[in-house]
Each structure stands twice: as C-alpha cells, then as structure tokens.
PDB file of all heavy atoms in Angstrom:
ATOM      1  N   LEU A   1     175.435  16.886-104.311  1.00 97.00           N
ATOM      2  CA  LEU A   1     176.466  16.389-105.209  1.00 97.00           C
ATOM      3  C   LEU A   1     175.960  16.395-106.637  1.00 97.00           C
ATOM      4  O   LEU A   1     174.809  16.033-106.901  1.00 97.00           O
ATOM      5  CB  LEU A   1     176.878  14.970-104.811  1.00 97.00           C
ATOM      6  CG  LEU A   1     177.830  14.865-103.618  1.00 97.00           C
ATOM      7  CD1 LEU A   1     177.166  15.208-102.315  1.00 97.00           C
ATOM      8  CD2 LEU A   1     178.438  13.495-103.569  1.00 97.00           C
ATOM      9  N   GLU A   2     176.817  16.812-107.553  1.00 95.00           N
ATOM     10  CA  GLU A   2     176.441  16.782-108.968  1.00 95.00           C
ATOM     11  C   GLU A   2     176.432  15.351-109.493  1.00 95.00           C
ATOM     12  O   GLU A   2     175.644  15.014-110.360  1.00 95.00           O
ATOM     13  CB  GLU A   2     177.386  17.660-109.781  1.00 95.00           C
ATOM     14  CG  GLU A   2     177.184  19.140-109.488  1.00 95.00           C
ATOM     15  CD  GLU A   2     178.106  20.033-110.291  1.00 95.00           C
ATOM     16  OE1 GLU A   2     178.927  19.519-111.083  1.00 95.00           O
ATOM     17  OE2 GLU A   2     177.997  21.251-110.128  1.00 95.00           O
ATOM     18  N   ALA A   3     177.306  14.493-108.951  1.00 92.00           N
ATOM     19  CA  ALA A   3     177.376  13.101-109.387  1.00 92.00           C
ATOM     20  C   ALA A   3     176.136  12.345-108.907  1.00 92.00           C
ATOM     21  O   ALA A   3     175.657  12.553-107.797  1.00 92.00           O
ATOM     22  CB  ALA A   3     178.638  12.442-108.836  1.00 92.00           C
ATOM     23  N   ALA A   4     175.632  11.467-109.749  1.00 91.00           N
ATOM     24  CA  ALA A   4     174.400  10.744-109.445  1.00 91.00           C
ATOM     25  C   ALA A   4     174.638   9.411-108.727  1.00 91.00           C
ATOM     26  O   ALA A   4     173.774   8.944-107.998  1.00 91.00           O
ATOM     27  CB  ALA A   4     173.619  10.481-110.730  1.00 91.00           C
ATOM     28  N   GLU A   5     175.786   8.792-108.907  1.00 91.00           N
ATOM     29  CA  GLU A   5     175.985   7.446-108.374  1.00 91.00           C
ATOM     30  C   GLU A   5     176.232   7.440-106.860  1.00 91.00           C
ATOM     31  O   GLU A   5     176.807   8.368-106.306  1.00 91.00           O
ATOM     32  CB  GLU A   5     177.113   6.712-109.114  1.00 91.00           C
ATOM     33  CG  GLU A   5     178.433   7.419-109.154  1.00 91.00           C
ATOM     34  CD  GLU A   5     178.526   8.509-110.219  1.00 91.00           C
ATOM     35  OE1 GLU A   5     177.755   8.529-111.190  1.00 91.00           O
ATOM     36  OE2 GLU A   5     179.395   9.364-110.043  1.00 91.00           O
ATOM     37  N   ASP A   6     175.758   6.381-106.221  1.00 90.00           N
ATOM     38  CA  ASP A   6     175.902   6.226-104.775  1.00 90.00           C
ATOM     39  C   ASP A   6     177.363   6.248-104.337  1.00 90.00           C
ATOM     40  O   ASP A   6     177.680   6.727-103.253  1.00 90.00           O
ATOM     41  CB  ASP A   6     175.249   4.928-104.295  1.00 90.00           C
ATOM     42  CG  ASP A   6     173.741   5.049-104.180  1.00 90.00           C
ATOM     43  OD1 ASP A   6     173.233   6.189-104.099  1.00 90.00           O
ATOM     44  OD2 ASP A   6     173.076   4.003-104.158  1.00 90.00           O
ATOM     45  N   ARG A   7     178.239   5.720-105.160  1.00 91.00           N
ATOM     46  CA  ARG A   7     179.665   5.674-104.810  1.00 91.00           C
ATOM     47  C   ARG A   7     180.212   7.080-104.548  1.00 91.00           C
ATOM     48  O   ARG A   7     181.040   7.269-103.662  1.00 91.00           O
ATOM     49  CB  ARG A   7     180.451   4.980-105.928  1.00 91.00           C
ATOM     50  CG  ARG A   7     181.858   4.668-105.586  1.00 91.00           C
ATOM     51  CD  ARG A   7     181.903   3.616-104.530  1.00 91.00           C
ATOM     52  NE  ARG A   7     183.245   3.059-104.469  1.00 91.00           N
ATOM     53  CZ  ARG A   7     183.569   2.087-103.706  1.00 91.00           C
ATOM     54  NH1 ARG A   7     182.665   1.510-102.951  1.00 91.00           N
ATOM     55  NH2 ARG A   7     184.792   1.633-103.679  1.00 91.00           N
ATOM     56  N   ALA A   8     179.753   8.075-105.297  1.00 94.00           N
ATOM     57  CA  ALA A   8     180.203   9.457-105.081  1.00 94.00           C
ATOM     58  C   ALA A   8     179.752   9.951-103.703  1.00 94.00           C
ATOM     59  O   ALA A   8     180.518  10.612-102.995  1.00 94.00           O
ATOM     60  CB  ALA A   8     179.661  10.364-106.179  1.00 94.00           C
ATOM     61  N   ARG A   9     178.537   9.634-103.313  1.00 95.00           N
ATOM     62  CA  ARG A   9     178.038  10.021-101.992  1.00 95.00           C
ATOM     63  C   ARG A   9     178.831   9.309-100.905  1.00 95.00           C
ATOM     64  O   ARG A   9     179.184   9.921 -99.892  1.00 95.00           O
ATOM     65  CB  ARG A   9     176.548   9.696-101.867  1.00 95.00           C
ATOM     66  CG  ARG A   9     175.670  10.570-102.754  1.00 95.00           C
ATOM     67  CD  ARG A   9     174.207  10.153-102.750  1.00 95.00           C
ATOM     68  NE  ARG A   9     173.612  10.290-101.439  1.00 95.00           N
ATOM     69  CZ  ARG A   9     172.982   9.304-100.788  1.00 95.00           C
ATOM     70  NH1 ARG A   9     172.842   8.123-101.321  1.00 95.00           N
ATOM     71  NH2 ARG A   9     172.458   9.513 -99.607  1.00 95.00           N
ATOM     72  N   GLN A  10     179.132   8.039-101.109  1.00 95.00           N
ATOM     73  CA  GLN A  10     179.900   7.290-100.120  1.00 95.00           C
ATOM     74  C   GLN A  10     181.310   7.855 -99.962  1.00 95.00           C
ATOM     75  O   GLN A  10     181.805   8.006 -98.845  1.00 95.00           O
ATOM     76  CB  GLN A  10     179.955   5.816-100.505  1.00 95.00           C
ATOM     77  CG  GLN A  10     178.614   5.127-100.429  1.00 95.00           C
ATOM     78  CD  GLN A  10     178.635   3.757-101.085  1.00 95.00           C
ATOM     79  OE1 GLN A  10     179.474   3.459-101.929  1.00 95.00           O
ATOM     80  NE2 GLN A  10     177.680   2.923-100.700  1.00 95.00           N
ATOM     81  N   ARG A  11     181.954   8.172-101.075  1.00 94.00           N
ATOM     82  CA  ARG A  11     183.305   8.736-101.010  1.00 94.00           C
ATOM     83  C   ARG A  11     183.290  10.112-100.338  1.00 94.00           C
ATOM     84  O   ARG A  11     184.186  10.442 -99.567  1.00 94.00           O
ATOM     85  CB  ARG A  11     183.933   8.805-102.396  1.00 94.00           C
ATOM     86  CG  ARG A  11     184.218   7.402-102.975  1.00 94.00           C
ATOM     87  CD  ARG A  11     185.048   7.433-104.226  1.00 94.00           C
ATOM     88  NE  ARG A  11     186.368   7.990-104.040  1.00 94.00           N
ATOM     89  CZ  ARG A  11     187.393   7.376-103.422  1.00 94.00           C
ATOM     90  NH1 ARG A  11     187.220   6.190-102.909  1.00 94.00           N
ATOM     91  NH2 ARG A  11     188.564   7.962-103.333  1.00 94.00           N
ATOM     92  N   PHE A  12     182.267  10.910-100.624  1.00 96.00           N
ATOM     93  CA  PHE A  12     182.167  12.209 -99.967  1.00 96.00           C
ATOM     94  C   PHE A  12     181.919  12.039 -98.469  1.00 96.00           C
ATOM     95  O   PHE A  12     182.458  12.792 -97.651  1.00 96.00           O
ATOM     96  CB  PHE A  12     181.075  13.066-100.619  1.00 96.00           C
ATOM     97  CG  PHE A  12     181.104  14.485-100.148  1.00 96.00           C
ATOM     98  CD1 PHE A  12     182.109  15.345-100.565  1.00 96.00           C
ATOM     99  CD2 PHE A  12     180.131  14.964 -99.286  1.00 96.00           C
ATOM    100  CE1 PHE A  12     182.157  16.659-100.113  1.00 96.00           C
ATOM    101  CE2 PHE A  12     180.165  16.268 -98.835  1.00 96.00           C
ATOM    102  CZ  PHE A  12     181.175  17.122 -99.243  1.00 96.00           C
ATOM    103  N   ALA A  13     181.133  11.037 -98.099  1.00 97.00           N
ATOM    104  CA  ALA A  13     180.921  10.735 -96.673  1.00 97.00           C
ATOM    105  C   ALA A  13     182.249  10.410 -95.998  1.00 97.00           C
ATOM    106  O   ALA A  13     182.496  10.839 -94.860  1.00 97.00           O
ATOM    107  CB  ALA A  13     179.933   9.577 -96.515  1.00 97.00           C
ATOM    108  N   CYS A  14     183.108   9.669 -96.676  1.00 96.00           N
ATOM    109  CA  CYS A  14     184.441   9.363 -96.133  1.00 96.00           C
ATOM    110  C   CYS A  14     185.243  10.639 -95.924  1.00 96.00           C
ATOM    111  O   CYS A  14     185.910  10.801 -94.894  1.00 96.00           O
ATOM    112  CB  CYS A  14     185.198   8.416 -97.067  1.00 96.00           C
ATOM    113  SG  CYS A  14     184.552   6.733 -97.124  1.00 96.00           S
ATOM    114  N   ARG A  15     185.192  11.538 -96.882  1.00 95.00           N
ATOM    115  CA  ARG A  15     185.925  12.803 -96.757  1.00 95.00           C
ATOM    116  C   ARG A  15     185.414  13.624 -95.572  1.00 95.00           C
ATOM    117  O   ARG A  15     186.206  14.185 -94.802  1.00 95.00           O
ATOM    118  CB  ARG A  15     185.815  13.615 -98.047  1.00 95.00           C
ATOM    119  CG  ARG A  15     186.603  13.014 -99.201  1.00 95.00           C
ATOM    120  CD  ARG A  15     186.419  13.718-100.528  1.00 95.00           C
ATOM    121  NE  ARG A  15     186.353  15.167-100.461  1.00 95.00           N
ATOM    122  CZ  ARG A  15     185.757  15.906-101.389  1.00 95.00           C
ATOM    123  NH1 ARG A  15     185.164  15.351-102.428  1.00 95.00           N
ATOM    124  NH2 ARG A  15     185.742  17.227-101.280  1.00 95.00           N
ATOM    125  N   LEU A  16     184.092  13.696 -95.415  1.00 97.00           N
ATOM    126  CA  LEU A  16     183.527  14.427 -94.279  1.00 97.00           C
ATOM    127  C   LEU A  16     183.907  13.767 -92.960  1.00 97.00           C
ATOM    128  O   LEU A  16     184.238  14.452 -91.987  1.00 97.00           O
ATOM    129  CB  LEU A  16     182.004  14.504 -94.394  1.00 97.00           C
ATOM    130  CG  LEU A  16     181.418  15.437 -95.432  1.00 97.00           C
ATOM    131  CD1 LEU A  16     179.902  15.330 -95.439  1.00 97.00           C
ATOM    132  CD2 LEU A  16     181.832  16.876 -95.156  1.00 97.00           C
ATOM    133  N   ALA A  17     183.838  12.433 -92.912  1.00 96.00           N
ATOM    134  CA  ALA A  17     184.202  11.708 -91.693  1.00 96.00           C
ATOM    135  C   ALA A  17     185.672  11.946 -91.352  1.00 96.00           C
ATOM    136  O   ALA A  17     186.019  12.158 -90.181  1.00 96.00           O
ATOM    137  CB  ALA A  17     183.918  10.221 -91.852  1.00 96.00           C
ATOM    138  N   ARG A  18     186.536  11.937 -92.357  1.00 95.00           N
ATOM    139  CA  ARG A  18     187.963  12.188 -92.130  1.00 95.00           C
ATOM    140  C   ARG A  18     188.172  13.584 -91.550  1.00 95.00           C
ATOM    141  O   ARG A  18     188.924  13.772 -90.596  1.00 95.00           O
ATOM    142  CB  ARG A  18     188.746  12.036 -93.427  1.00 95.00           C
ATOM    143  CG  ARG A  18     190.251  12.337 -93.254  1.00 95.00           C
ATOM    144  CD  ARG A  18     190.987  12.315 -94.550  1.00 95.00           C
ATOM    145  NE  ARG A  18     190.406  13.310 -95.446  1.00 95.00           N
ATOM    146  CZ  ARG A  18     190.472  13.261 -96.760  1.00 95.00           C
ATOM    147  NH1 ARG A  18     191.081  12.262 -97.372  1.00 95.00           N
ATOM    148  NH2 ARG A  18     189.927  14.195 -97.500  1.00 95.00           N
ATOM    149  N   LYS A  19     187.496  14.564 -92.115  1.00 95.00           N
ATOM    150  CA  LYS A  19     187.644  15.938 -91.643  1.00 95.00           C
ATOM    151  C   LYS A  19     187.168  16.074 -90.192  1.00 95.00           C
ATOM    152  O   LYS A  19     187.858  16.653 -89.349  1.00 95.00           O
ATOM    153  CB  LYS A  19     186.881  16.896 -92.550  1.00 95.00           C
ATOM    154  CG  LYS A  19     187.027  18.339 -92.151  1.00 95.00           C
ATOM    155  CD  LYS A  19     186.319  19.255 -93.115  1.00 95.00           C
ATOM    156  CE  LYS A  19     186.493  20.708 -92.670  1.00 95.00           C
ATOM    157  NZ  LYS A  19     185.859  21.637 -93.589  1.00 95.00           N
ATOM    158  N   ALA A  20     185.980  15.558 -89.892  1.00 97.00           N
ATOM    159  CA  ALA A  20     185.433  15.658 -88.537  1.00 97.00           C
ATOM    160  C   ALA A  20     186.311  14.897 -87.540  1.00 97.00           C
ATOM    161  O   ALA A  20     186.592  15.392 -86.448  1.00 97.00           O
ATOM    162  CB  ALA A  20     184.001  15.129 -88.508  1.00 97.00           C
ATOM    163  N   HIS A  21     186.739  13.702 -87.917  1.00 95.00           N
ATOM    164  CA  HIS A  21     187.613  12.911 -87.050  1.00 95.00           C
ATOM    165  C   HIS A  21     188.912  13.668 -86.783  1.00 95.00           C
ATOM    166  O   HIS A  21     189.415  13.689 -85.657  1.00 95.00           O
ATOM    167  CB  HIS A  21     187.895  11.542 -87.692  1.00 95.00           C
ATOM    168  CG  HIS A  21     188.914  10.741 -86.975  1.00 95.00           C
ATOM    169  ND1 HIS A  21     188.750  10.303 -85.682  1.00 95.00           N
ATOM    170  CD2 HIS A  21     190.130  10.298 -87.367  1.00 95.00           C
ATOM    171  CE1 HIS A  21     189.820   9.621 -85.311  1.00 95.00           C
ATOM    172  NE2 HIS A  21     190.676   9.611 -86.316  1.00 95.00           N
ATOM    173  N   GLY A  22     189.459  14.307 -87.810  1.00 94.00           N
ATOM    174  CA  GLY A  22     190.681  15.091 -87.661  1.00 94.00           C
ATOM    175  C   GLY A  22     190.513  16.277 -86.713  1.00 94.00           C
ATOM    176  O   GLY A  22     191.488  16.757 -86.134  1.00 94.00           O
ATOM    177  N   MET A  23     189.276  16.716 -86.542  1.00 96.00           N
ATOM    178  CA  MET A  23     188.976  17.818 -85.623  1.00 96.00           C
ATOM    179  C   MET A  23     188.611  17.299 -84.230  1.00 96.00           C
ATOM    180  O   MET A  23     188.173  18.069 -83.377  1.00 96.00           O
ATOM    181  CB  MET A  23     187.833  18.660 -86.193  1.00 96.00           C
ATOM    182  CG  MET A  23     188.197  19.350 -87.500  1.00 96.00           C
ATOM    183  SD  MET A  23     186.778  20.116 -88.350  1.00 96.00           S
ATOM    184  CE  MET A  23     186.194  21.267 -87.135  1.00 96.00           C
ATOM    185  N   GLY A  24     188.760  15.978 -84.027  1.00 95.00           N
ATOM    186  CA  GLY A  24     188.479  15.389 -82.724  1.00 95.00           C
ATOM    187  C   GLY A  24     187.011  15.127 -82.456  1.00 95.00           C
ATOM    188  O   GLY A  24     186.613  14.909 -81.311  1.00 95.00           O
ATOM    189  N   GLN A  25     186.188  15.125 -83.491  1.00 96.00           N
ATOM    190  CA  GLN A  25     184.761  14.896 -83.317  1.00 96.00           C
ATOM    191  C   GLN A  25     184.416  13.430 -83.552  1.00 96.00           C
ATOM    192  O   GLN A  25     185.032  12.771 -84.381  1.00 96.00           O
ATOM    193  CB  GLN A  25     183.971  15.778 -84.287  1.00 96.00           C
ATOM    194  CG  GLN A  25     184.186  17.251 -84.035  1.00 96.00           C
ATOM    195  CD  GLN A  25     183.499  18.112 -85.073  1.00 96.00           C
ATOM    196  OE1 GLN A  25     183.373  17.758 -86.227  1.00 96.00           O
ATOM    197  NE2 GLN A  25     183.043  19.278 -84.633  1.00 96.00           N
ATOM    198  N   ARG A  26     183.421  12.949 -82.811  1.00 95.00           N
ATOM    199  CA  ARG A  26     182.911  11.598 -83.042  1.00 95.00           C
ATOM    200  C   ARG A  26     181.839  11.677 -84.110  1.00 95.00           C
ATOM    201  O   ARG A  26     181.029  12.599 -84.147  1.00 95.00           O
ATOM    202  CB  ARG A  26     182.339  11.004 -81.761  1.00 95.00           C
ATOM    203  CG  ARG A  26     183.467  10.711 -80.770  1.00 95.00           C
ATOM    204  CD  ARG A  26     183.131   9.737 -79.704  1.00 95.00           C
ATOM    205  NE  ARG A  26     182.645   8.486 -80.249  1.00 95.00           N
ATOM    206  CZ  ARG A  26     181.731   7.741 -79.642  1.00 95.00           C
ATOM    207  NH1 ARG A  26     181.202   8.117 -78.502  1.00 95.00           N
ATOM    208  NH2 ARG A  26     181.342   6.596 -80.169  1.00 95.00           N
ATOM    209  N   VAL A  27     181.824  10.667 -84.982  1.00 96.00           N
ATOM    210  CA  VAL A  27     180.976  10.674 -86.174  1.00 96.00           C
ATOM    211  C   VAL A  27     180.134   9.400 -86.219  1.00 96.00           C
ATOM    212  O   VAL A  27     180.627   8.315 -85.902  1.00 96.00           O
ATOM    213  CB  VAL A  27     181.845  10.756 -87.449  1.00 96.00           C
ATOM    214  CG1 VAL A  27     180.993  10.690 -88.700  1.00 96.00           C
ATOM    215  CG2 VAL A  27     182.716  12.002 -87.442  1.00 96.00           C
ATOM    216  N   HIS A  28     178.898   9.545 -86.653  1.00 96.00           N
ATOM    217  CA  HIS A  28     178.050   8.396 -86.957  1.00 96.00           C
ATOM    218  C   HIS A  28     177.549   8.541 -88.393  1.00 96.00           C
ATOM    219  O   HIS A  28     177.030   9.599 -88.765  1.00 96.00           O
ATOM    220  CB  HIS A  28     176.862   8.294 -86.003  1.00 96.00           C
ATOM    221  CG  HIS A  28     175.977   7.127 -86.308  1.00 96.00           C
ATOM    222  ND1 HIS A  28     176.366   5.822 -86.080  1.00 96.00           N
ATOM    223  CD2 HIS A  28     174.752   7.063 -86.864  1.00 96.00           C
ATOM    224  CE1 HIS A  28     175.391   5.010 -86.470  1.00 96.00           C
ATOM    225  NE2 HIS A  28     174.401   5.736 -86.951  1.00 96.00           N
ATOM    226  N   ILE A  29     177.720   7.487 -89.182  1.00 97.00           N
ATOM    227  CA  ILE A  29     177.234   7.473 -90.557  1.00 97.00           C
ATOM    228  C   ILE A  29     175.981   6.604 -90.606  1.00 97.00           C
ATOM    229  O   ILE A  29     176.038   5.406 -90.296  1.00 97.00           O
ATOM    230  CB  ILE A  29     178.303   6.941 -91.531  1.00 97.00           C
ATOM    231  CG1 ILE A  29     179.570   7.810 -91.447  1.00 97.00           C
ATOM    232  CG2 ILE A  29     177.752   6.900 -92.964  1.00 97.00           C
ATOM    233  CD1 ILE A  29     180.754   7.257 -92.225  1.00 97.00           C
ATOM    234  N   HIS A  30     174.864   7.227 -90.966  1.00 97.00           N
ATOM    235  CA  HIS A  30     173.580   6.519 -91.065  1.00 97.00           C
ATOM    236  C   HIS A  30     173.393   6.066 -92.511  1.00 97.00           C
ATOM    237  O   HIS A  30     173.331   6.888 -93.426  1.00 97.00           O
ATOM    238  CB  HIS A  30     172.448   7.454 -90.635  1.00 97.00           C
ATOM    239  CG  HIS A  30     171.095   6.829 -90.704  1.00 97.00           C
ATOM    240  ND1 HIS A  30     170.701   5.798 -89.894  1.00 97.00           N
ATOM    241  CD2 HIS A  30     170.032   7.108 -91.498  1.00 97.00           C
ATOM    242  CE1 HIS A  30     169.465   5.460 -90.177  1.00 97.00           C
ATOM    243  NE2 HIS A  30     169.036   6.244 -91.165  1.00 97.00           N
ATOM    244  N   THR A  31     173.342   4.761 -92.718  1.00 97.00           N
ATOM    245  CA  THR A  31     173.236   4.187 -94.061  1.00 97.00           C
ATOM    246  C   THR A  31     171.799   3.736 -94.340  1.00 97.00           C
ATOM    247  O   THR A  31     171.024   3.528 -93.405  1.00 97.00           O
ATOM    248  CB  THR A  31     174.201   2.996 -94.217  1.00 97.00           C
ATOM    249  OG1 THR A  31     173.823   1.981 -93.291  1.00 97.00           O
ATOM    250  CG2 THR A  31     175.648   3.416 -93.974  1.00 97.00           C
ATOM    251  N   PRO A  32     171.455   3.523 -95.605  1.00 96.00           N
ATOM    252  CA  PRO A  32     170.078   3.128 -95.922  1.00 96.00           C
ATOM    253  C   PRO A  32     169.745   1.673 -95.609  1.00 96.00           C
ATOM    254  O   PRO A  32     168.580   1.346 -95.382  1.00 96.00           O
ATOM    255  CB  PRO A  32     169.944   3.414 -97.419  1.00 96.00           C
ATOM    256  CG  PRO A  32     171.317   3.498 -97.942  1.00 96.00           C
ATOM    257  CD  PRO A  32     172.207   3.892 -96.804  1.00 96.00           C
ATOM    258  N   ASP A  33     170.744   0.780 -95.610  1.00 96.00           N
ATOM    259  CA  ASP A  33     170.466  -0.631 -95.381  1.00 96.00           C
ATOM    260  C   ASP A  33     171.752  -1.370 -95.007  1.00 96.00           C
ATOM    261  O   ASP A  33     172.845  -0.786 -95.034  1.00 96.00           O
ATOM    262  CB  ASP A  33     169.805  -1.277 -96.606  1.00 96.00           C
ATOM    263  CG  ASP A  33     170.603  -1.078 -97.882  1.00 96.00           C
ATOM    264  OD1 ASP A  33     171.833  -1.275 -97.868  1.00 96.00           O
ATOM    265  OD2 ASP A  33     169.985  -0.715 -98.903  1.00 96.00           O
ATOM    266  N   ALA A  34     171.613  -2.653 -94.656  1.00 95.00           N
ATOM    267  CA  ALA A  34     172.759  -3.448 -94.202  1.00 95.00           C
ATOM    268  C   ALA A  34     173.838  -3.577 -95.277  1.00 95.00           C
ATOM    269  O   ALA A  34     175.035  -3.534 -94.968  1.00 95.00           O
ATOM    270  CB  ALA A  34     172.287  -4.832 -93.746  1.00 95.00           C
ATOM    271  N   GLU A  35     173.451  -3.708 -96.528  1.00 96.00           N
ATOM    272  CA  GLU A  35     174.441  -3.810 -97.607  1.00 96.00           C
ATOM    273  C   GLU A  35     175.249  -2.511 -97.719  1.00 96.00           C
ATOM    274  O   GLU A  35     176.465  -2.536 -97.906  1.00 96.00           O
ATOM    275  CB  GLU A  35     173.771  -4.130 -98.940  1.00 96.00           C
ATOM    276  CG  GLU A  35     174.736  -4.225-100.109  1.00 96.00           C
ATOM    277  CD  GLU A  35     175.874  -5.229 -99.906  1.00 96.00           C
ATOM    278  OE1 GLU A  35     175.648  -6.289 -99.303  1.00 96.00           O
ATOM    279  OE2 GLU A  35     176.998  -4.944-100.362  1.00 96.00           O
ATOM    280  N   ALA A  36     174.576  -1.379 -97.599  1.00 96.00           N
ATOM    281  CA  ALA A  36     175.280  -0.092 -97.646  1.00 96.00           C
ATOM    282  C   ALA A  36     176.217   0.061 -96.449  1.00 96.00           C
ATOM    283  O   ALA A  36     177.304   0.634 -96.573  1.00 96.00           O
ATOM    284  CB  ALA A  36     174.275   1.052 -97.697  1.00 96.00           C
ATOM    285  N   THR A  37     175.828  -0.464 -95.301  1.00 95.00           N
ATOM    286  CA  THR A  37     176.710  -0.437 -94.129  1.00 95.00           C
ATOM    287  C   THR A  37     177.967  -1.241 -94.409  1.00 95.00           C
ATOM    288  O   THR A  37     179.087  -0.785 -94.131  1.00 95.00           O
ATOM    289  CB  THR A  37     175.990  -0.983 -92.878  1.00 95.00           C
ATOM    290  OG1 THR A  37     174.859  -0.145 -92.600  1.00 95.00           O
ATOM    291  CG2 THR A  37     176.912  -1.009 -91.666  1.00 95.00           C
ATOM    292  N   ARG A  38     177.814  -2.431 -94.974  1.00 95.00           N
ATOM    293  CA  ARG A  38     178.986  -3.263 -95.314  1.00 95.00           C
ATOM    294  C   ARG A  38     179.878  -2.559 -96.339  1.00 95.00           C
ATOM    295  O   ARG A  38     181.105  -2.573 -96.221  1.00 95.00           O
ATOM    296  CB  ARG A  38     178.539  -4.634 -95.829  1.00 95.00           C
ATOM    297  CG  ARG A  38     178.014  -5.552 -94.733  1.00 95.00           C
ATOM    298  CD  ARG A  38     177.765  -6.963 -95.242  1.00 95.00           C
ATOM    299  NE  ARG A  38     176.657  -7.041 -96.169  1.00 95.00           N
ATOM    300  CZ  ARG A  38     175.375  -7.136 -95.823  1.00 95.00           C
ATOM    301  NH1 ARG A  38     175.039  -7.178 -94.554  1.00 95.00           N
ATOM    302  NH2 ARG A  38     174.436  -7.211 -96.737  1.00 95.00           N
TER     303      ARG A  38
END
C-alpha cells in the first residue's frame, strides 16, 4: 500500500475479506495485538 497509516491497511483488509467471503471462502484476519483485533 502506498498509504502509510494503519487505517488504510485495515480498510484494505476489509475489502479483501469482502471479496473472499463473496466467493464463498472462509477468512481469518491475523492482527498484531488485542487492540487491533477490537
């Protein structure tokens, strides 16, 4: 990602999860810590 902030990575993760889910795939998002999970 060209954007440096974590929020851009999180939003892109949502887009990827949406795409995979739409294709019927199960997804796991591995976060760096409990706060990032929340």
Side-chain angles (χ1 to χ4, degrees):
L1 281 71
E2 290 180 359
E5 55 280 340
D6 281 340
R7 190 68 164 184
R9 291 174 63 234
Q10 293 168 338
R11 292 190 62 74
F12 190 73
C14 290
R15 289 175 40 204
L16 287 177
R18 178 186 59 205
K19 182 177 180 178
H21 172 63
M23 296 170 59
Q25 298 175 327
R26 290 200 55 213
V27 177
H28 180 71
I29 301 172
H30 180 67
T31 62
D33 54 46
E35 179 55 37
T37 299
R38 286 188 291 277

